[in-house]
């Protein structure tokens, strides 16, 4: 059975030596020192390894079952969910007023990587609830917050997000679900939503659906979409349950992965709902939590890559095949372990340099969210808004690729279910699709975010890179291995941005034909920047003689691998972008 151990040391390194969260505390939470975070990661790591990891395979094999309108989750999920709830793990970064612990979001993101690595399907029940609770927190009335948040923060009740309909996923302006105003101030919601994660299940007493629908008589298209709270069981003023609401699960989907999470067709038949936020501003309300939700999905890509990588390393050290070309390294055995072979090492290093870089990137993005929410830091808000599609699109694509590479280390055994490697690949695949398919993330990045506020956020990113390069120009440990490649990659990104400015206005197809490459180009530069920052921290620790020199030396060497072998991909992406629209747009539809 696959193993998983939370990379606690890596989290500690990034939080305390790279981002230095204790030295520049996140407003509203000063006690985030290394002992405290180590204790949290230690406990979370135990639950992940001992409880959630063994259930991952159970969930994959059993899946969810719909019986008499109720979805039964796999054996053991209920007990594990109780344990997560009782341990207070569900509302760590939620306000104390509603039963949370008010920890920074950066801690929430670190824990969501751990739980997601161990069992993505399971973690989604809580993840969706967190997203729905965040929307109520920002847009709800006091009464709505008091009614729903304490139960959702504790996960006694769970939450869902209902956007997708059979004929529309990306283009939500086509939505047909209707909301009819009622005399008591509520709305009657009717329509069908599909692919709703955690839509129905047996883990919680109530499920609070957030549903996008169009109010009758409102504007056409996306401008007429509003957001509603539609509970499975109505809640009386004293908090007791009222009637069962008019929402049912019609069926659950059979799918490629995340079998332990129920993906439901939800039928709303005159269900009672209450407006969340303003009329016709539903997309705005949804977008409030989009940054968080998309970073959360990026973390899923990273999470599956990390779990798959850990298993591939164990296998590569254990499996004996062939001899090292430079002479036997296991002369007493029949063959050498796979890890002696350069191509296996290349494969493992591609995974390792991705996961460690991606972890730093997601934690940095989470820190920006904390600063924007808790310190009203507009620059942080602008930057994280720009980077969000990169976190989502780049990390889920690369995370999926990493799971395939981990499978490859196993040869044929990676393809056989017994070893559990194909589950990582199957589970990772969905992250490239939901929460806005990755092609749409690229569209958002190039079509919207680049030029947002006059392009000042992308300029702020370039300034950040430039400042890092300048401040560390005299650091010999960084010069050739880190600073030069980062400078070259950042130049590629700027040149691509200029290309879009010069050609994209005249011919938008010239920009959008290169949008996917741009998202990946940007992702590589972000990981390059994170590796340079990590290298600086590792070099500082090595020179000071603090901590574990092996850990820091491995960081420096892994980072150099990324800079030398992965970062040059920016040149290829730039070359593709500069070919413009022609190669992509020439064929007629009939010629495909
Ligand atoms: C397992 C699973 C769980 C899900 N969970 C939820 C959930 O909890 N709640 C929810 O509301 N939805 C959920 N979804 C739905 C998911 O978010 C949508 O499937 C996704 O947004 C894509 O929508 P679509 O499937 O309709 O594809 P389409 O919108 O038809 O898109 C098809 C393809 O075309 C591309 N495309 C579309 N428009 C453009 C454009 N303008 N430019 C370039 N490319 C474009 C897309 O990138 C995509 O690759 C889930 C889906 C699955 C499979």
């Amino acid at each position: 059975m696959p193993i998983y151990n939370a990379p606690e040391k890596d989290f500690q390194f990034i939080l305390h030596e790279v981002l230095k969260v204790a030295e520049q505390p996140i407003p509203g939470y000063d006690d985030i020192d290394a002992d405290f975070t180590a204790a949290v990661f230690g406990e979370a790591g135990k639950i992940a390894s001992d409880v959630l990891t063994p259930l991952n395979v159970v969930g994959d094999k059993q899946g969810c079952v719909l019986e008499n309108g109720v979805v039964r989750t796999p054996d053991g999920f209920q007990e594990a969910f109780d344990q997560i709830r009782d341990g207070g793990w569900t509302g760590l970064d939620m306000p104390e007023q509603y039963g949370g612990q008010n920890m920074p979001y950066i801690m929430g993101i670190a824990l969501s990587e751990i739980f997601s690595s161990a069992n993505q399907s399971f973690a989604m029940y809580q993840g969706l609830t967190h997203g729905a609770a965040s929307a109520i927190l920002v847009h709800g009335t006091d009464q709505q917050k008091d009614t729903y948040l304490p139960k959702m923060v504790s996960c006694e009740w769970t939450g869902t997000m209902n956007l997708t309909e059979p004929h529309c996923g990306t283009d939500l302006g086509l939505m047909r679900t209707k909301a009819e105003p009622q005399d008591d101030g509520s709305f009657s919601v009717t329509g069908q939503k599909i692919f709703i994660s955690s839509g129905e299940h047996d883990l919680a007493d109530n499920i609070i659906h957030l549903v996008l629908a169009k109010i009758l008589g409102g504007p056409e298209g996306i401008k007429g979409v509003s957001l509603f709270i539609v509970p499975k069981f109505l809640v009386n003023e004293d908090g007791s349950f009222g009637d069962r609401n008019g929402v049912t699960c019609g069926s659950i989907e059979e799918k490629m992965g995340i079998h332990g999470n129920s993906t439901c067709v939800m039928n709303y038949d005159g269900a009672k709902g209450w407006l969340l936020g303003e009329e016709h501003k539903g997309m705005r309300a949804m977008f409030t939590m989009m940054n968080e939700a998309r970073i959360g999905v990026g973390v899923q890509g990273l999470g599956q890559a990390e779990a798959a990588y850990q298993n591939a390393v164990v296998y590569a050290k254990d499996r004996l095949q062939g001899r090292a070309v430079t002479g036997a390294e296991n002369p007493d055995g029949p063959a050498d372990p796979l890890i002696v072979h350069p191509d296996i090492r290349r494969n493992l290093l591609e995974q390792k340099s991705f996961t460690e870089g991606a972890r730093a990137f997601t934690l940095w993005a989470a820190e920006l969210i904390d600063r924007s929410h808790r310190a009203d830091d507009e620059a942080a808000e602008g930057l994280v808004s720009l980077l969000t599609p990169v976190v989502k699109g780049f990390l889920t694509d690369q995370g999926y690729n990493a799971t395939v590479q981990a499978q490859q280390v196993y040869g044929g055994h990676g393809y056989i279910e017994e070893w559990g490697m194909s589950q990582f690949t199957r589970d990772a695949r969905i992250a490239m699709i939901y929460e806005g398919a990755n092609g749409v993330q690229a569209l958002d990045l190039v079509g919207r975010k680049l030029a947002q506020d006059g392009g000042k956020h992308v300029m702020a990113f370039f300034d950040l890179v430039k400042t890092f390069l300048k401040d560390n120009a005299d650091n010999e440990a960084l010069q050739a291995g880190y600073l030069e490649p980062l400078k070259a990659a950042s130049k590629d990104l700027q040149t691509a941005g200029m290309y879009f400015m010069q050609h994209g206005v005249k011919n938008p197809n010239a920009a959008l034909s290169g949008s996917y490459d741009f998202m990946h180009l940007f992702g590589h530069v972000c990981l390059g920047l994170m590796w340079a920052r990590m290298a600086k921290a590792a070099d500082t620790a090595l020179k000071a003689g603090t901590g574990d020199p092996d850990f820091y030396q491995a960081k420096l060497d892994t980072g150099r691998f990324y800079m030398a072998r992965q970062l040059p991909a920016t040149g290829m992406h730039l070359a593709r972008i500069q070919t413009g629209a022609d190669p992509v747009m020439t064929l007629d539809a009939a010629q495909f």
Side-chain angles (χ1 to χ4, degrees):
M1 193 197 289
I3 52 109
Y4 169 70
N5 294 302
E8 296 166 33
K9 212 166 174 175
D10 212 30
F11 281 119
Q12 287 288 89
F13 169 69
I14 297 166
L15 284 188
H16 298 292
E17 294 176 68
V18 182
L19 300 175
K20 301 189 176 165
V21 291
E23 285 171 36
Q24 303 140 35
I26 287 151
Y29 204 89
D30 297 337
D31 309 328
I32 185 165
D33 65 26
D35 289 343
F36 169 73
T37 57
V40 174
F41 294 140
E43 283 307 309
K46 265 190 239 155
I47 296 175
S49 302
D50 301 345
V51 181
L52 303 185
T53 297
L55 282 181
N56 198 35
V57 179
V58 177
D60 188 51
K61 296 230 179 315
Q62 287 187 5
C64 295
V65 181
L66 177 64
E67 277 173 350
N68 303 323
V70 178
V71 173
R72 201 159 31 79
T73 51
D75 291 347
F77 270 43
Q78 178 73 69
E79 292 75 10
F81 207 62
D82 288 345
Q83 194 172 338
I84 295 281
R85 266 196 290 241
D86 295 347
W89 293 100
T90 56
L92 287 187
D93 56 351
M94 283 291 178
E96 280 171 356
Q97 185 186 356
Y98 300 112
Q101 299 185 37
N102 202 33
M103 279 189 206
Y105 179 63
I106 197 169
M107 287 302 285
I109 271 294
L111 293 171
S112 93
E113 186 200 314
I114 294 174
F115 291 148
S116 192
S117 283
N119 194 328
Q120 182 173 321
S121 299
F122 178 90
M124 284 173 67
Y125 291 100
Q126 192 249 323
L128 267 303
T129 308
H130 189 282
S134 297
I136 295 175
L137 187 63
V138 177
H139 297 283
T141 61
D142 286 345
Q143 196 207 353
Q144 288 172 335
K145 290 187 211 176
D146 291 342
T147 304
Y148 299 109
L149 287 183
K151 300 283 188 188
M152 293 175 80
V153 166
S154 66
C155 267
E156 277 171 82
W157 301 351
T158 59
T160 68
M161 288 164 59
N162 292 238
L163 294 78
T164 309
E165 299 185 6
H167 60 286
C168 72
T170 303
D171 189 356
L172 291 168
L174 301 173
M175 182 175 297
R176 291 184 192 143
T177 299
K178 294 275 178 251
E180 205 173 334
Q182 305 295 295
D183 293 342
D184 64 356
S186 70
F187 287 79
S188 171
V189 177
T190 300
Q192 187 178 66
K193 297 287 178 180
I194 63 165
F195 299 163
I196 305 308
S197 299
S198 318
E200 175 58 46
H201 57 80
D202 56 1
L203 298 177
D205 296 337
N206 203 358
I207 302 178
I208 310 305
H209 303 287
L210 296 196
V211 184
L212 283 180
K214 284 182 174 169
I215 298 176
L216 285 183
E220 289 296 308
I222 201 75
K223 293 205 170 105
V225 170
S226 306
L227 186 59
F228 298 89
I229 301 177
V230 184
K232 174 175 163 183
F233 289 102
L234 299 177
V235 184
N236 297 322
E237 267 180 30
D238 63 0
S240 62
F241 284 147
D243 292 341
R244 171 83 206 239
N245 206 352
V247 46
T248 48
C249 171
S251 61
I252 54 176
E253 306 292 350
E254 278 192 28
K255 52 194 193 290
M256 174 176 174
I258 55 165
H259 294 155
N261 190 270
S262 54
T263 307
C264 304
V265 171
M266 300 303 298
N267 295 320
Y268 293 86
D269 187 9
K272 220 171 176 49
W274 286 269
L275 188 67
L276 178 59
E278 292 175 52
E279 276 189 13
H280 314 315
K281 299 274 167 57
M283 288 314 290
R284 204 167 79 186
M286 270 284 174
F287 268 110
T288 310
M289 58 183 178
M290 255 351 163
N291 279 351
E292 275 188 40
R294 289 183 171 171
I295 287 170
V297 173
V299 166
Q300 290 181 341
L302 158 62
Q304 292 311 294
E306 172 66 33
Y309 165 72
Q310 288 189 13
N311 287 281
V313 170
V314 173
Y315 193 80
K317 289 180 181 173
D318 192 50
R319 172 85 168 167
L320 304 180
Q321 287 296 292
R323 287 290 183 196
V325 279
T326 48
E329 294 202 10
N330 177 32
D332 298 333
D336 286 338
L338 288 175
I339 200 157
V340 304
H341 302 306
D343 189 58
I344 290 286
R345 298 174 67 88
R346 184 253 338 138
N347 179 335
L348 290 173
L349 271 162
E350 286 183 2
Q351 296 174 56
K352 180 173 165 66
S353 64
F354 164 70
T355 55
E356 293 177 19
R359 180 165 303 115
F361 185 27
T362 55
L363 292 175
W364 177 45
E367 189 204 11
L368 291 173
I369 287 196
D370 274 323
R371 296 203 183 282
S372 72
H373 285 183
R374 298 192 184 210
D376 292 329
D377 181 338
E378 281 182 23
E381 189 177 353
L383 193 54
V384 79
S385 164
L386 171 76
L387 296 177
T388 296
V390 184
V391 173
K392 199 282 181 181
F394 181 69
L395 297 193
T396 57
D397 278 0
Q398 299 284 348
Y400 174 79
N401 289 344
T403 65
V404 173
Q405 285 180 292
Q407 224 180 355
Q408 193 74 8
V409 170
Y410 280 70
H413 300 276
Y415 197 70
I416 303 296
E417 290 295 337
E418 185 192 343
W419 289 85
M421 294 306 286
S422 81
Q423 187 186 350
F424 297 126
T425 303
R426 290 185 284 102
D427 286 359
R429 183 67 183 87
I430 186 57
M432 297 156 77
I433 298 169
Y434 58 20
E435 212 46 72
N438 284 357
V440 175
Q441 300 300 323
L443 178 69
D444 179 43
L445 176 65
V446 171
R448 220 163 65 86
K449 298 290 175 63
L450 261 191
Q452 207 168 35
D453 299 325
K456 81 173 182 197
H457 308 304
V458 75
M459 295 314 291
F461 178 83
F462 289 132
D463 278 349
L464 232 141
V465 176
K466 219 188 295 167
T467 305
F468 183 89
L469 292 171
K470 197 163 137 231
D471 290 352
N472 296 286
D474 297 333
N475 186 336
E476 283 178 21
L478 299 188
Q479 275 162 359
Y482 287 92
L483 302 185
E484 283 172 24
L486 178 60
K487 194 172 168 186
S490 169
K491 195 164 161 243
D492 286 344
L493 187 65
Q494 290 186 47
T495 310
M498 287 298 290
Y499 180 86
F500 291 152
M501 274 172 58
Q502 284 161 1
H503 299 85
V505 180
K506 243 186 326 190
N507 177 10
N509 284 338
L512 296 185
S513 298
S515 58
Y516 212 88
D517 279 289
F518 188 79
M519 182 173 75
H520 277 254
L521 201 173
F522 210 152
H524 278 298
V525 176
C526 290
L527 258 61
L529 175 63
M530 296 326 293
W531 267 116
R533 291 179 67 177
M534 287 195 284
K536 182 179 175 179
D539 178 59
T540 305
L542 273 177
K543 283 178 179 146
T546 53
D548 172 3
D550 258 10
F551 175 85
Y552 296 120
Q553 192 56 53
K555 270 280 166 226
L556 282 168
D557 294 337
T558 307
R560 263 193 290 270
F561 175 92
Y562 193 87
M563 305 307 269
R565 303 258 323 200
Q566 305 294 79
L567 202 54
T570 59
M572 177 197 67
H573 291 301
L574 174 62
R576 285 185 186 165
I577 287 166
Q578 287 175 323
T579 63
D582 277 358
V584 172
M585 300 305 293
T586 307
L587 290 187
D588 282 337
Q591 291 174 298
F592 279 89

